[in-house]
Amino acid sequence: MSIDVAEREHLALGDLTDRLTKVFAGTHEAERVHSTVTAIHQRFDDRPIRDFVPVFVERIARKELGGSA
């Protein structure tokens, strides 16, 4: 089974959201983590190279949510 770039990115962002929800459970509601990840991801909508978008989203989200990059 082969998945395309968009599907792989979607799955990676889902895993990222789940992971950050657990990491920040004591300080942020799950909805806050989800909305943060979604808003950051949207900043990359027009970028043609998608390979590292989940990595960039995670780094920015951790900073915005108060954790380390």
Side-chain angles (χ1 to χ4, degrees), residues 9-21:
E9 185 174 308
H10 175 76
L11 292 171
L13 290 169
D15 290 343
L16 166 62
T17 301
D18 291 344
R19 191 169 56 252
L20 292 180
T21 297

Side-chain angles (χ1 to χ4, degrees), residues 20-31:
L20 292 180
T21 297
K22 291 174 186 170
V23 169
F24 292 103
T27 56
H28 297 289
E29 296 291 328
E31 181 55 38

Side-chain angles (χ1 to χ4, degrees), residues 16-46:
L16 166 62
T17 301
D18 291 344
R19 191 169 56 252
L20 292 180
T21 297
K22 291 174 186 170
V23 169
F24 292 103
T27 56
H28 297 289
E29 296 291 328
E31 181 55 38
R32 167 79 167 112
V33 174
H34 176 74
S35 64
T36 299
V37 169
T38 300
I40 295 166
H41 182 241
Q42 289 173 348
R43 296 181 199 172
F44 295 93
D45 280 351
D46 296 331

